[in-house]
């Protein structure tokens, strides 16, 4: 099983952000991502099957790092840990949510979209964060502006990023990777088109 020996931001250039409605798709999509060169998955807790999907992937696809995204309550953090998640990602951050993620002992990316949120995360000891929603919150121009006053903060921008726009983010000194939902489009998942997912993953993996 792969381990996060350094940073969740440095494993792949594009972290697949995946929404699953069908538990049967969990293992095939994870295997398709690995085949395409992206051995990481951020599985969002937006659907009833999400936690069971994390359990299935952690059990049956040990070659992928499985994380839980859309951590929006303290309970989510503990539930994701118990399901086998190896890292956590939140879209935003409150004090109680931050403490709950810290208490799991897992690597995590607290969500930020303002300088005040970045500073609050830094005060809590975090140097790695999610920037969400990236495009709606100022995109690369925002991240360039933040780099000077808060040089220790590094980000995984997510939200509205595409294969075409990802390189402009990855070129920034304070960006480690980007989050991408385009790699696992809903129509491909519904059709069980795992070859397409693998092709999209390979394109994303080649960005760095």
């Amino acid at each position: 099983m792969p381990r996060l020996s350094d940073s969740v931001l440095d494993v792949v250039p594009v972290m697949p952000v995946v929404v699953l409605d069908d538990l049967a798709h969990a293992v095939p999509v994870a295997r398709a991502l690995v085949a395409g060169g992206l051995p990481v998955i951020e599985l969002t807790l937006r659907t009833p099957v999400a936690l069971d999907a994390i359990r299935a992937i952690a059990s049956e696809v040990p070659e992928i790092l499985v994380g839980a995204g859309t951590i929006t309550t303290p309970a989510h953090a503990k539930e994701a840990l118990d399901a086998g998640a190896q890292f956590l990602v939140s879209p935003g951050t409150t004090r109680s949510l931050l403490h709950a993620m810290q208490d799991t002992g897992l690597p995590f990316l607290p969500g930020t979209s303002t300088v005040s949120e970045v500073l609050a995360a830094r005060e809590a000891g975090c140097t790695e964060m999610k920037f969400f929603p990236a495009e709606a919150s100022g995109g690369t121009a925002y991240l360039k502006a933040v780099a000077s006053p808060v040089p220790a903060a590094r980000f995984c921008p997510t939200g509205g990023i595409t294969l075409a726009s990802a390189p402009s983010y990855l070129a920034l000194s304070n960006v480690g990777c980007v989050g991408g939902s385009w790699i696992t489009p809903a129509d491909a998942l519904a059709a069980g088109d795992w070859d397409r997912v693998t092709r999209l993953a390979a394109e994303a993996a080649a960005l760095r």
Side-chain angles (χ1 to χ4, degrees), residues 125-157:
C126 302
T127 58
E128 300 183 345
M129 310 166 199
K130 179 175 182 173
F131 173 48
F132 176 84
E135 287 288 283
S137 299
T140 57
Y142 173 91
L143 290 169
K144 288 177 184 177
V146 170
S148 180
V150 197
R154 296 178 70 222
F155 299 92
C156 173

PDB file of all heavy atoms in Angstrom, residues 125-157:
ATOM      1  N   GLY A 125      -1.029  25.521  12.459  1.00  0.00           N
ATOM      2  CA  GLY A 125       0.099  24.666  12.118  1.00  0.00           C
ATOM      3  C   GLY A 125       0.050  24.058  10.739  1.00  0.00           C
ATOM      4  O   GLY A 125       0.904  23.234  10.389  1.00  0.00           O
ATOM      5  N   CYS A 126      -0.927  24.454   9.937  1.00  0.00           N
ATOM      6  CA  CYS A 126      -1.059  23.888   8.590  1.00  0.00           C
ATOM      7  C   CYS A 126      -0.273  24.715   7.570  1.00  0.00           C
ATOM      8  O   CYS A 126      -0.377  25.947   7.558  1.00  0.00           O
ATOM      9  CB  CYS A 126      -2.520  23.845   8.157  1.00  0.00           C
ATOM     10  SG  CYS A 126      -3.590  22.894   9.248  1.00  0.00           S
ATOM     11  N   THR A 127       0.470  24.042   6.728  1.00  0.00           N
ATOM     12  CA  THR A 127       1.145  24.726   5.622  1.00  0.00           C
ATOM     13  C   THR A 127       0.574  24.297   4.278  1.00  0.00           C
ATOM     14  O   THR A 127       0.846  24.939   3.261  1.00  0.00           O
ATOM     15  CB  THR A 127       2.657  24.445   5.628  1.00  0.00           C
ATOM     16  OG1 THR A 127       2.873  23.028   5.540  1.00  0.00           O
ATOM     17  CG2 THR A 127       3.311  24.985   6.896  1.00  0.00           C
ATOM     18  N   GLU A 128      -0.217  23.216   4.278  1.00  0.00           N
ATOM     19  CA  GLU A 128      -0.793  22.695   3.032  1.00  0.00           C
ATOM     20  C   GLU A 128      -2.309  22.787   3.112  1.00  0.00           C
ATOM     21  O   GLU A 128      -2.913  22.363   4.099  1.00  0.00           O
ATOM     22  CB  GLU A 128      -0.344  21.257   2.802  1.00  0.00           C
ATOM     23  CG  GLU A 128       1.164  21.154   2.698  1.00  0.00           C
ATOM     24  CD  GLU A 128       1.647  19.747   2.397  1.00  0.00           C
ATOM     25  OE1 GLU A 128       0.852  18.793   2.554  1.00  0.00           O
ATOM     26  OE2 GLU A 128       2.804  19.603   2.012  1.00  0.00           O
ATOM     27  N   MET A 129      -2.914  23.346   2.065  1.00  0.00           N
ATOM     28  CA  MET A 129      -4.333  23.650   2.098  1.00  0.00           C
ATOM     29  C   MET A 129      -4.982  23.420   0.747  1.00  0.00           C
ATOM     30  O   MET A 129      -4.311  23.357  -0.280  1.00  0.00           O
ATOM     31  CB  MET A 129      -4.527  25.135   2.475  1.00  0.00           C
ATOM     32  CG  MET A 129      -3.768  25.571   3.700  1.00  0.00           C
ATOM     33  SD  MET A 129      -3.687  27.359   3.904  1.00  0.00           S
ATOM     34  CE  MET A 129      -2.275  27.456   5.042  1.00  0.00           C
ATOM     35  N   LYS A 130      -6.295  23.325   0.771  1.00  0.00           N
ATOM     36  CA  LYS A 130      -7.086  23.331  -0.442  1.00  0.00           C
ATOM     37  C   LYS A 130      -7.498  24.774  -0.720  1.00  0.00           C
ATOM     38  O   LYS A 130      -7.800  25.522   0.216  1.00  0.00           O
ATOM     39  CB  LYS A 130      -8.323  22.458  -0.266  1.00  0.00           C
ATOM     40  CG  LYS A 130      -9.250  22.411  -1.470  1.00  0.00           C
ATOM     41  CD  LYS A 130     -10.385  21.422  -1.242  1.00  0.00           C
ATOM     42  CE  LYS A 130     -11.298  21.314  -2.440  1.00  0.00           C
ATOM     43  NZ  LYS A 130     -12.298  20.239  -2.292  1.00  0.00           N
ATOM     44  N   PHE A 131      -7.505  25.175  -1.987  1.00  0.00           N
ATOM     45  CA  PHE A 131      -8.018  26.483  -2.387  1.00  0.00           C
ATOM     46  C   PHE A 131      -9.272  26.224  -3.202  1.00  0.00           C
ATOM     47  O   PHE A 131      -9.200  25.682  -4.300  1.00  0.00           O
ATOM     48  CB  PHE A 131      -6.970  27.234  -3.202  1.00  0.00           C
ATOM     49  CG  PHE A 131      -7.462  28.523  -3.794  1.00  0.00           C
ATOM     50  CD1 PHE A 131      -8.149  29.442  -3.012  1.00  0.00           C
ATOM     51  CD2 PHE A 131      -7.233  28.827  -5.125  1.00  0.00           C
ATOM     52  CE1 PHE A 131      -8.608  30.631  -3.559  1.00  0.00           C
ATOM     53  CE2 PHE A 131      -7.687  30.014  -5.678  1.00  0.00           C
ATOM     54  CZ  PHE A 131      -8.368  30.921  -4.897  1.00  0.00           C
ATOM     55  N   PHE A 132     -10.415  26.595  -2.624  1.00  0.00           N
ATOM     56  CA  PHE A 132     -11.698  26.250  -3.235  1.00  0.00           C
ATOM     57  C   PHE A 132     -12.728  27.335  -2.945  1.00  0.00           C
ATOM     58  O   PHE A 132     -12.768  27.862  -1.841  1.00  0.00           O
ATOM     59  CB  PHE A 132     -12.190  24.920  -2.660  1.00  0.00           C
ATOM     60  CG  PHE A 132     -13.558  24.521  -3.146  1.00  0.00           C
ATOM     61  CD1 PHE A 132     -13.696  23.853  -4.355  1.00  0.00           C
ATOM     62  CD2 PHE A 132     -14.694  24.828  -2.404  1.00  0.00           C
ATOM     63  CE1 PHE A 132     -14.963  23.495  -4.809  1.00  0.00           C
ATOM     64  CE2 PHE A 132     -15.961  24.461  -2.854  1.00  0.00           C
ATOM     65  CZ  PHE A 132     -16.087  23.802  -4.064  1.00  0.00           C
ATOM     66  N   PRO A 133     -13.580  27.638  -3.943  1.00  0.00           N
ATOM     67  CA  PRO A 133     -13.557  27.185  -5.344  1.00  0.00           C
ATOM     68  C   PRO A 133     -12.555  28.018  -6.145  1.00  0.00           C
ATOM     69  O   PRO A 133     -12.666  29.248  -6.187  1.00  0.00           O
ATOM     70  CB  PRO A 133     -14.997  27.432  -5.805  1.00  0.00           C
ATOM     71  CG  PRO A 133     -15.476  28.581  -4.966  1.00  0.00           C
ATOM     72  CD  PRO A 133     -14.774  28.461  -3.642  1.00  0.00           C
ATOM     73  N   ALA A 134     -11.587  27.379  -6.732  1.00  0.00           N
ATOM     74  CA  ALA A 134     -10.421  28.059  -7.288  1.00  0.00           C
ATOM     75  C   ALA A 134     -10.766  29.124  -8.325  1.00  0.00           C
ATOM     76  O   ALA A 134     -10.380  30.287  -8.196  1.00  0.00           O
ATOM     77  CB  ALA A 134      -9.460  27.028  -7.870  1.00  0.00           C
ATOM     78  N   GLU A 135     -11.456  28.730  -9.374  1.00  0.00           N
ATOM     79  CA  GLU A 135     -11.739  29.678 -10.451  1.00  0.00           C
ATOM     80  C   GLU A 135     -12.646  30.813  -9.964  1.00  0.00           C
ATOM     81  O   GLU A 135     -12.416  31.978 -10.276  1.00  0.00           O
ATOM     82  CB  GLU A 135     -12.380  28.958 -11.643  1.00  0.00           C
ATOM     83  CG  GLU A 135     -11.404  28.092 -12.427  1.00  0.00           C
ATOM     84  CD  GLU A 135     -10.426  28.936 -13.234  1.00  0.00           C
ATOM     85  OE1 GLU A 135     -10.835  29.462 -14.288  1.00  0.00           O
ATOM     86  OE2 GLU A 135      -9.261  29.079 -12.802  1.00  0.00           O
ATOM     87  N   ALA A 136     -13.642  30.483  -9.184  1.00  0.00           N
ATOM     88  CA  ALA A 136     -14.587  31.495  -8.703  1.00  0.00           C
ATOM     89  C   ALA A 136     -13.962  32.429  -7.671  1.00  0.00           C
ATOM     90  O   ALA A 136     -14.459  33.538  -7.458  1.00  0.00           O
ATOM     91  CB  ALA A 136     -15.814  30.827  -8.103  1.00  0.00           C
ATOM     92  N   SER A 137     -12.862  32.000  -7.050  1.00  0.00           N
ATOM     93  CA  SER A 137     -12.240  32.788  -5.982  1.00  0.00           C
ATOM     94  C   SER A 137     -11.021  33.574  -6.437  1.00  0.00           C
ATOM     95  O   SER A 137     -10.301  34.126  -5.602  1.00  0.00           O
ATOM     96  CB  SER A 137     -11.851  31.870  -4.816  1.00  0.00           C
ATOM     97  OG  SER A 137     -12.985  31.236  -4.273  1.00  0.00           O
ATOM     98  N   GLY A 138     -10.774  33.629  -7.725  1.00  0.00           N
ATOM     99  CA  GLY A 138      -9.660  34.438  -8.212  1.00  0.00           C
ATOM    100  C   GLY A 138      -8.591  33.685  -8.960  1.00  0.00           C
ATOM    101  O   GLY A 138      -7.687  34.294  -9.538  1.00  0.00           O
ATOM    102  N   GLY A 139      -8.637  32.367  -8.944  1.00  0.00           N
ATOM    103  CA  GLY A 139      -7.736  31.561  -9.763  1.00  0.00           C
ATOM    104  C   GLY A 139      -6.264  31.811  -9.526  1.00  0.00           C
ATOM    105  O   GLY A 139      -5.823  32.073  -8.397  1.00  0.00           O
ATOM    106  N   THR A 140      -5.510  31.768 -10.599  1.00  0.00           N
ATOM    107  CA  THR A 140      -4.052  31.906 -10.489  1.00  0.00           C
ATOM    108  C   THR A 140      -3.648  33.292 -10.008  1.00  0.00           C
ATOM    109  O   THR A 140      -2.648  33.430  -9.304  1.00  0.00           O
ATOM    110  CB  THR A 140      -3.379  31.610 -11.840  1.00  0.00           C
ATOM    111  OG1 THR A 140      -3.918  32.477 -12.849  1.00  0.00           O
ATOM    112  CG2 THR A 140      -3.590  30.157 -12.254  1.00  0.00           C
ATOM    113  N   ALA A 141      -4.409  34.311 -10.370  1.00  0.00           N
ATOM    114  CA  ALA A 141      -4.068  35.676  -9.935  1.00  0.00           C
ATOM    115  C   ALA A 141      -4.122  35.781  -8.415  1.00  0.00           C
ATOM    116  O   ALA A 141      -3.264  36.417  -7.787  1.00  0.00           O
ATOM    117  CB  ALA A 141      -5.026  36.679 -10.571  1.00  0.00           C
ATOM    118  N   TYR A 142      -5.116  35.153  -7.822  1.00  0.00           N
ATOM    119  CA  TYR A 142      -5.229  35.167  -6.368  1.00  0.00           C
ATOM    120  C   TYR A 142      -4.031  34.460  -5.730  1.00  0.00           C
ATOM    121  O   TYR A 142      -3.419  34.975  -4.784  1.00  0.00           O
ATOM    122  CB  TYR A 142      -6.522  34.484  -5.931  1.00  0.00           C
ATOM    123  CG  TYR A 142      -6.645  34.296  -4.438  1.00  0.00           C
ATOM    124  CD1 TYR A 142      -7.241  35.258  -3.643  1.00  0.00           C
ATOM    125  CD2 TYR A 142      -6.142  33.149  -3.819  1.00  0.00           C
ATOM    126  CE1 TYR A 142      -7.341  35.095  -2.270  1.00  0.00           C
ATOM    127  CE2 TYR A 142      -6.229  32.977  -2.450  1.00  0.00           C
ATOM    128  CZ  TYR A 142      -6.835  33.947  -1.676  1.00  0.00           C
ATOM    129  OH  TYR A 142      -6.912  33.779  -0.322  1.00  0.00           O
ATOM    130  N   LEU A 143      -3.704  33.274  -6.238  1.00  0.00           N
ATOM    131  CA  LEU A 143      -2.609  32.502  -5.649  1.00  0.00           C
ATOM    132  C   LEU A 143      -1.271  33.216  -5.791  1.00  0.00           C
ATOM    133  O   LEU A 143      -0.427  33.148  -4.891  1.00  0.00           O
ATOM    134  CB  LEU A 143      -2.571  31.109  -6.285  1.00  0.00           C
ATOM    135  CG  LEU A 143      -3.746  30.211  -5.893  1.00  0.00           C
ATOM    136  CD1 LEU A 143      -3.777  28.959  -6.762  1.00  0.00           C
ATOM    137  CD2 LEU A 143      -3.669  29.826  -4.416  1.00  0.00           C
ATOM    138  N   LYS A 144      -1.066  33.898  -6.902  1.00  0.00           N
ATOM    139  CA  LYS A 144       0.158  34.687  -7.067  1.00  0.00           C
ATOM    140  C   LYS A 144       0.226  35.788  -6.018  1.00  0.00           C
ATOM    141  O   LYS A 144       1.281  36.064  -5.440  1.00  0.00           O
ATOM    142  CB  LYS A 144       0.201  35.304  -8.465  1.00  0.00           C
ATOM    143  CG  LYS A 144       0.474  34.328  -9.593  1.00  0.00           C
ATOM    144  CD  LYS A 144       0.419  35.037 -10.940  1.00  0.00           C
ATOM    145  CE  LYS A 144       0.597  34.072 -12.090  1.00  0.00           C
ATOM    146  NZ  LYS A 144       0.474  34.748 -13.416  1.00  0.00           N
ATOM    147  N   ALA A 145      -0.908  36.425  -5.749  1.00  0.00           N
ATOM    148  CA  ALA A 145      -0.944  37.510  -4.772  1.00  0.00           C
ATOM    149  C   ALA A 145      -0.688  37.011  -3.358  1.00  0.00           C
ATOM    150  O   ALA A 145      -0.056  37.689  -2.552  1.00  0.00           O
ATOM    151  CB  ALA A 145      -2.288  38.235  -4.845  1.00  0.00           C
ATOM    152  N   VAL A 146      -1.172  35.816  -3.042  1.00  0.00           N
ATOM    153  CA  VAL A 146      -1.020  35.253  -1.700  1.00  0.00           C
ATOM    154  C   VAL A 146       0.410  34.792  -1.439  1.00  0.00           C
ATOM    155  O   VAL A 146       0.881  34.783  -0.297  1.00  0.00           O
ATOM    156  CB  VAL A 146      -2.004  34.078  -1.502  1.00  0.00           C
ATOM    157  CG1 VAL A 146      -1.719  33.315  -0.214  1.00  0.00           C
ATOM    158  CG2 VAL A 146      -3.435  34.594  -1.491  1.00  0.00           C
ATOM    159  N   ALA A 147       1.123  34.425  -2.491  1.00  0.00           N
ATOM    160  CA  ALA A 147       2.464  33.842  -2.333  1.00  0.00           C
ATOM    161  C   ALA A 147       3.428  34.780  -1.621  1.00  0.00           C
ATOM    162  O   ALA A 147       4.283  34.329  -0.857  1.00  0.00           O
ATOM    163  CB  ALA A 147       3.025  33.442  -3.691  1.00  0.00           C
ATOM    164  N   SER A 148       3.296  36.068  -1.843  1.00  0.00           N
ATOM    165  CA  SER A 148       4.244  37.004  -1.237  1.00  0.00           C
ATOM    166  C   SER A 148       4.032  37.176   0.262  1.00  0.00           C
ATOM    167  O   SER A 148       4.968  36.990   1.042  1.00  0.00           O
ATOM    168  CB  SER A 148       4.166  38.363  -1.953  1.00  0.00           C
ATOM    169  OG  SER A 148       5.080  39.271  -1.382  1.00  0.00           O
ATOM    170  N   PRO A 149       2.820  37.482   0.746  1.00  0.00           N
ATOM    171  CA  PRO A 149       2.647  37.659   2.194  1.00  0.00           C
ATOM    172  C   PRO A 149       2.611  36.358   2.993  1.00  0.00           C
ATOM    173  O   PRO A 149       2.900  36.365   4.187  1.00  0.00           O
ATOM    174  CB  PRO A 149       1.309  38.393   2.306  1.00  0.00           C
ATOM    175  CG  PRO A 149       0.566  38.005   1.082  1.00  0.00           C
ATOM    176  CD  PRO A 149       1.599  37.873   0.012  1.00  0.00           C
ATOM    177  N   VAL A 150       2.242  35.255   2.338  1.00  0.00           N
ATOM    178  CA  VAL A 150       2.171  33.967   3.048  1.00  0.00           C
ATOM    179  C   VAL A 150       2.948  32.916   2.253  1.00  0.00           C
ATOM    180  O   VAL A 150       2.383  31.965   1.704  1.00  0.00           O
ATOM    181  CB  VAL A 150       0.707  33.509   3.251  1.00  0.00           C
ATOM    182  CG1 VAL A 150       0.642  32.419   4.332  1.00  0.00           C
ATOM    183  CG2 VAL A 150      -0.205  34.654   3.633  1.00  0.00           C
ATOM    184  N   PRO A 151       4.270  33.052   2.182  1.00  0.00           N
ATOM    185  CA  PRO A 151       5.061  32.154   1.334  1.00  0.00           C
ATOM    186  C   PRO A 151       5.074  30.704   1.811  1.00  0.00           C
ATOM    187  O   PRO A 151       5.358  29.800   1.021  1.00  0.00           O
ATOM    188  CB  PRO A 151       6.469  32.768   1.389  1.00  0.00           C
ATOM    189  CG  PRO A 151       6.496  33.513   2.691  1.00  0.00           C
ATOM    190  CD  PRO A 151       5.116  34.049   2.864  1.00  0.00           C
ATOM    191  N   ALA A 152       4.757  30.449   3.081  1.00  0.00           N
ATOM    192  CA  ALA A 152       4.817  29.074   3.605  1.00  0.00           C
ATOM    193  C   ALA A 152       3.601  28.255   3.202  1.00  0.00           C
ATOM    194  O   ALA A 152       3.615  27.032   3.329  1.00  0.00           O
ATOM    195  CB  ALA A 152       4.938  29.095   5.122  1.00  0.00           C
ATOM    196  N   ALA A 153       2.553  28.905   2.731  1.00  0.00           N
ATOM    197  CA  ALA A 153       1.327  28.180   2.381  1.00  0.00           C
ATOM    198  C   ALA A 153       1.425  27.590   0.980  1.00  0.00           C
ATOM    199  O   ALA A 153       1.785  28.269   0.021  1.00  0.00           O
ATOM    200  CB  ALA A 153       0.128  29.117   2.462  1.00  0.00           C
ATOM    201  N   ARG A 154       1.073  26.309   0.879  1.00  0.00           N
ATOM    202  CA  ARG A 154       1.013  25.631  -0.418  1.00  0.00           C
ATOM    203  C   ARG A 154      -0.399  25.088  -0.609  1.00  0.00           C
ATOM    204  O   ARG A 154      -1.061  24.723   0.353  1.00  0.00           O
ATOM    205  CB  ARG A 154       2.027  24.478  -0.501  1.00  0.00           C
ATOM    206  CG  ARG A 154       3.469  24.912  -0.421  1.00  0.00           C
ATOM    207  CD  ARG A 154       4.388  23.699  -0.471  1.00  0.00           C
ATOM    208  NE  ARG A 154       4.384  23.074  -1.788  1.00  0.00           N
ATOM    209  CZ  ARG A 154       4.357  21.766  -2.014  1.00  0.00           C
ATOM    210  NH1 ARG A 154       4.273  20.921  -1.001  1.00  0.00           N
ATOM    211  NH2 ARG A 154       4.376  21.293  -3.242  1.00  0.00           N
ATOM    212  N   PHE A 155      -0.807  25.013  -1.873  1.00  0.00           N
ATOM    213  CA  PHE A 155      -2.215  24.749  -2.148  1.00  0.00           C
ATOM    214  C   PHE A 155      -2.452  23.636  -3.167  1.00  0.00           C
ATOM    215  O   PHE A 155      -1.615  23.366  -4.036  1.00  0.00           O
ATOM    216  CB  PHE A 155      -2.877  26.016  -2.689  1.00  0.00           C
ATOM    217  CG  PHE A 155      -2.847  27.176  -1.748  1.00  0.00           C
ATOM    218  CD1 PHE A 155      -1.799  28.091  -1.795  1.00  0.00           C
ATOM    219  CD2 PHE A 155      -3.840  27.352  -0.798  1.00  0.00           C
ATOM    220  CE1 PHE A 155      -1.759  29.177  -0.921  1.00  0.00           C
ATOM    221  CE2 PHE A 155      -3.812  28.421   0.075  1.00  0.00           C
ATOM    222  CZ  PHE A 155      -2.766  29.343   0.014  1.00  0.00           C
ATOM    223  N   CYS A 156      -3.658  23.053  -3.027  1.00  0.00           N
ATOM    224  CA  CYS A 156      -4.252  22.219  -4.062  1.00  0.00           C
ATOM    225  C   CYS A 156      -5.510  22.952  -4.513  1.00  0.00           C
ATOM    226  O   CYS A 156      -6.564  22.817  -3.885  1.00  0.00           O
ATOM    227  CB  CYS A 156      -4.614  20.832  -3.533  1.00  0.00           C
ATOM    228  SG  CYS A 156      -5.553  19.824  -4.725  1.00  0.00           S
ATOM    229  N   PRO A 157      -5.419  23.769  -5.568  1.00  0.00           N
ATOM    230  CA  PRO A 157      -6.601  24.464  -6.062  1.00  0.00           C
ATOM    231  C   PRO A 157      -7.581  23.474  -6.687  1.00  0.00           C
ATOM    232  O   PRO A 157      -7.180  22.565  -7.414  1.00  0.00           O
ATOM    233  CB  PRO A 157      -6.041  25.415  -7.127  1.00  0.00           C
ATOM    234  CG  PRO A 157      -4.564  25.403  -6.945  1.00  0.00           C
ATOM    235  CD  PRO A 157      -4.216  24.103  -6.338  1.00  0.00           C
TER     236      PRO A 157
END
